[in-house]
Amino acid sequence: MAVVRNLIVVLGDQLTPSLSSLAAADPSRDRVLMAELHDEATYVRHHKKKIAFVFSAMRHFAEELRAAGWTVDYVKLGAPENRASFTGQLASAIVEHRPTGIFVTEAAEWRVSRMIEGWQEQFSIPVAVLPDDRFLCSRPAFGTWAAGRKQLRMEYFYRDMRRRTGLLMDGDGPVGGKWNLDSENRKAADIDLFMPRPKACSPDTITQEVLALVEAEFGDHFGDLAPFWFAVTRADAEAAFEAFVDRALPFFGDYQDAMLEGQPFLYHSVIAQYLNCGLLDPLRVCRRAEAAYRAGKAPLNAVEGFIRQIIGWREYVRGIYWLKMPGYERSNFFGHARPLPDFYWTAETGMACVKAAVTQTREQAYAHHIQRLMITGNFAMLAGVDPHVLHEWYLSVYCDAYEWVELPNTVGMSQFADGGLLASKPYAASGAYINRMSNYCGSCRYDVKQRTGPQACPFNALFWDFISRHRDKIGHNPRMAQMVRTYDRFTASEQQRIRASSNEFLASL
Ligand SMILES: Cc1cc2nc3c(=O)[nH]c(=O)nc-3n(C[C@H](O)[C@H](O)[C@H](O)COP(=O)(O)OP(=O)(O)OC[C@H]3O[C@@H](n4cnc5c(N)ncnc54)[C@H](O)[C@@H]3O)c2cc1C
Ligand code: SF4
């Protein structure tokens, strides 16, 4: 048997041929190790579609590597040699191959990173942990940007990233003269608009085998396995992205915040799951979107908005995650402690907006940003749900969920549980916002115009009660002070009715 020099450990979200650990290795002497691990599928009980997506994409990536000349040890779930955990699997591979070293690209998540740090001592073998250059801002570079700043606002980070990448730049300034065109991106969608569906892929034999495995092993996890239409190869993910650029990108900006019954995707790209596991490259998709703008195929507000989500928000939340972990996941500024209501799993609620968001989450392992932020996230914050419990829910139910991106979005952006490190104000809203941005209220059993009473939209009393409960914590925020003043202008009996309605609703959960 040929002597193995290094073992290259490739994790399930590292499905990129140019990965730093592979780039540092030699296919003729080094060996790749990949494994489908029970521990990873269950540390939170992931949506069945997500497990199937990751396992199938891993199997296809192993084939891609073999075709490129690599020797790959791929350990399927259920195989006799499967050791269920990274460390167990690596221990077996070391005994079998006696490598002289381990190469691994740094893990995206804290939990996995801690585990990798222990390998060198545990196995008495050199472990080279290489930076993940698929991100555009390295962890040290984000640390340098953050050092000494009083406020870590995404907007300033984003401008730096525009300068650094040269995306949508005109000399030293932004194309069109403005860095951020978000104010143009607040239109409510109309049911008569043409809604392109994301490009669907039919499961091939590899995916069908994985789907059967997931049904057998994780059949009791949340979520529907069928229909399964995600791309699981780089080529199909790129084709899905091209379809988005052609059909939806031109409207991405206008309807970014809109929600419509029966339209889970609207003009969103539905590529986060591909970016996060390495099937798509963030810089490449941004350059492609910019090319569409420069070719006159998509307007600036759409392309700027899209690029901002990726080189701005995506990189920024990763920076915050690594800056603040560990500890960040236990943030709880408001001291909220309520358990997660059952309807986050069952969708059994009279609130049409929540029902729609949870139903499509169960069916598609997808909800777009405003549904996550302003429906399920907003409800949880107003109702006082424990942010940690909510974090575990978001981490388990979406196909694109990985802690480095999910946690800051949940704890920071949606729950304000970090006290305003990430968001400039709590994203708290009453039913009026949901009514403005969606058509859910028309079919709801509650009345969005009523503030209190059994028929009133629950978001209304909960919103005002939230303002009143937390006035000491949010009243000094200029963007919330106006809400506190409005609450203070309500009569004492109206305030009393708000409290009673809110309490009654919460007691019914
Ligand atoms: C409570 C909550 C939890 C979230 N959890 C996740 C998560 O686990 N994984 C995840 O990738 N995103 C998460 N997001 C961010 C965002 O909602 C998703 O990236 C987006 O909905 C994915 O759908 P899309 O690909 O159609 O995105 P689009 O709306 O088409 O946006 C394009 C891309 O921009 C990036 N992006 C957009 N918004 C954000 C953001 N706020 N943070 C980071 N990247 C962003 C994504 O890569 C996305 O694919 C969360 C947001 C909230 C409010
Ligand atoms: S009335 Fe309230 S609960 Fe019903 S859909 Fe509208 S915002 Fe949601």
Side-chain angles (χ1 to χ4, degrees):
M1 193 170 68
V3 176
V4 175
R5 194 184 56 170
N6 293 300
L7 266 182
I8 320 301
V9 179
V10 174
L11 310 176
D13 57 358
Q14 298 185 339
L15 311 182
T16 312
S18 61
L19 193 72
S20 54
S21 55
L22 292 168
D26 175 355
S28 66
R29 296 167 67 193
D30 299 330
R31 198 174 186 103
V32 173
L33 175 65
M34 296 177 72
E36 296 168 5
L37 300 168
H38 190 269
D39 280 10
E40 289 304 303
T42 55
Y43 71 93
V44 293
R45 289 164 57 85
H46 294 289
H47 194 297
K48 292 200 277 282
K49 262 199 177 81
K50 180 184 181 187
I51 303 176
F53 166 70
V54 175
F55 284 1
S56 180
M58 286 171 68
R59 289 186 187 191
H60 284 89
F61 185 63
E63 291 305 315
E64 192 183 341
L65 288 180
R66 284 185 184 122
W70 289 94
T71 305
V72 182
D73 282 351
Y74 189 95
V75 189
K76 289 184 180 173
L77 192 93
E81 66 275 24
N82 194 304
R83 297 284 167 270
S85 72
F86 283 125
T87 303
Q89 208 61 57
L90 185 58
S92 303
I94 289 172
V95 170
E96 188 180 348
H97 300 299
R98 310 220 158 274
T100 50
I102 309 289
F103 284 5
V104 62
T105 293
E106 65 188 357
E109 298 191 347
W110 177 265
R111 176 182 62 84
V112 182
S113 181
R114 286 291 78 83
M115 183 182 64
I116 290 174
E117 274 173 22
W119 284 351
Q120 182 146 329
E121 198 181 319
Q122 192 169 351
F123 299 121
S124 306
I125 198 171
V127 178
V129 182
L130 300 149
D132 190 345
D133 52 18
R134 298 172 303 166
F135 288 97
L136 305 171
C137 180
S138 69
R139 291 187 213 163
F142 190 87
T144 307
W145 175 81
R149 281 175 196 259
K150 274 208 195 111
Q151 285 196 318
L152 302 179
R153 289 288 165 254
M154 196 290 290
E155 183 60 29
Y156 298 108
F157 170 78
Y158 165 59
R159 291 180 193 180
D160 276 4
M161 292 300 288
R162 288 271 293 276
R163 290 190 194 95
R164 247 196 265 176
T165 57
L167 284 161
L168 289 181
M169 292 298 288
D170 193 358
D172 292 339
V175 166
K178 280 170 147 181
W179 290 103
N180 183 323
L181 301 175
D182 214 17
S183 57
E184 296 176 25
N185 293 352
R186 306 268 156 78
K187 290 198 184 120
D190 186 329
I191 195 73
D192 294 334
L193 289 167
F194 166 68
M195 304 290 167
R197 301 279 294 188
K199 186 175 173 352
C201 299
S202 316
D204 64 4
T205 46
I206 294 182
T207 301
Q208 281 169 14
E209 194 184 304
V210 169
L211 290 171
L213 174 81
V214 171
E215 193 53 62
E217 295 291 326
F218 308 105
D220 60 343
H221 281 212
F222 173 77
D224 299 349
L225 204 43
F228 185 91
W229 51 268
F230 290 125
V232 288
T233 64
R234 189 170 326 287
D236 282 345
E238 276 172 8
F241 176 64
E242 277 303 316
F244 160 74
V245 171
D246 279 353
R247 302 194 296 222
L249 177 63
F251 306 99
F252 174 83
D254 286 356
Y255 302 111
Q256 207 181 334
D257 289 3
M259 296 171 280
L260 271 184
E261 221 162 8
Q263 296 291 345
F265 310 108
L266 290 156
Y267 296 97
H268 290 271
S269 64
V270 196
I271 60 164
Q273 69 280 12
Y274 306 141
L275 289 170
N276 295 350
C277 76
L279 291 186
L280 288 181
D281 178 63
L283 188 56
R284 217 168 110 98
V285 300
C286 290
R287 290 213 193 291
R288 178 68 188 91
E290 176 172 9
Y293 162 69
R294 300 228 183 240
K297 300 254 170 68
L300 187 56
N301 70 311
V303 172
E304 186 283 313
F306 178 74
I307 288 177
R308 174 160 27 89
Q309 305 312 313
I310 295 180
I311 64 168
W313 280 111
R314 185 170 187 271
E315 295 286 332
Y316 169 80
V317 297
R318 177 191 187 241
I320 294 281
Y321 176 79
W322 281 101
L323 203 62
K324 294 294 168 187
M325 284 295 279
Y328 195 63
E329 64 176 323
R330 291 287 162 190
S331 310
N332 194 351
F333 179 64
F334 294 123
H336 285 162
R338 184 175 296 281
L340 193 69
D342 277 354
F343 56 71
Y344 275 73
W345 301 108
T346 63
E348 281 167 21
T349 165
M351 293 181 284
C353 54
V354 177
K355 191 181 185 67
V358 175
T359 303
Q360 75 172 68
T361 298
R362 186 178 63 212
E363 290 172 355
Q364 306 288 359
Y366 178 84
H368 70 69
H369 187 64
I370 295 302
Q371 293 177 300
R372 299 185 204 195
L373 185 64
M374 301 311 293
I375 306 284
T376 44
N378 181 28
F379 180 87
M381 179 169 64
L382 299 183
V385 171
D386 178 346
H388 188 75
V389 173
L390 187 71
H391 144 63
E392 293 190 326
W393 182 78
Y394 279 112
L395 188 56
S396 54
V397 300
Y398 291 116
C399 195
D400 54 41
Y402 296 84
E403 192 182 77
W404 64 267
V405 51
E406 173 278 324
L407 186 71
N409 269 297
T410 303
V411 157
M413 191 185 298
S414 102
Q415 301 302 293
F416 206 73
D418 62 6
L421 175 81
L422 193 142
S424 55
K425 73 170 186 63
Y427 282 97
S430 68
Y433 171 86
I434 297 168
N435 194 29
R436 193 163 62 248
M437 298 313 298
S438 79
N439 64 351
Y440 294 135
C441 302
S443 63
C444 187
R445 63 159 278 224
Y446 295 108
D447 181 353
V448 72
K449 300 270 190 269
Q450 291 186 40
R451 196 183 289 143
T452 56
Q455 291 311 314
C457 165
F459 280 84
N460 293 341
L462 288 175
F463 171 78
W464 290 112
D465 193 37
F466 170 85
I467 298 290
S468 144
R469 276 198 326 270
H470 294 303
R471 59 185 302 143
D472 293 347
K473 289 192 163 165
I474 58 177
H476 62 277
N477 182 315
R479 299 176 70 187
M480 298 308 285
Q482 172 66 32
M483 298 297 168
V484 175
R485 282 197 295 275
T486 304
Y487 177 84
D488 286 344
R489 282 199 294 272
F490 294 151
T491 61
S493 54
E494 180 64 358
Q495 292 180 355
Q496 165 63 34
R497 279 193 292 274
I498 287 171
R499 174 65 43 87
S501 269
S502 168
N503 285 345
E504 226 166 88
F505 181 79
L506 291 174
S508 76
L509 290 180

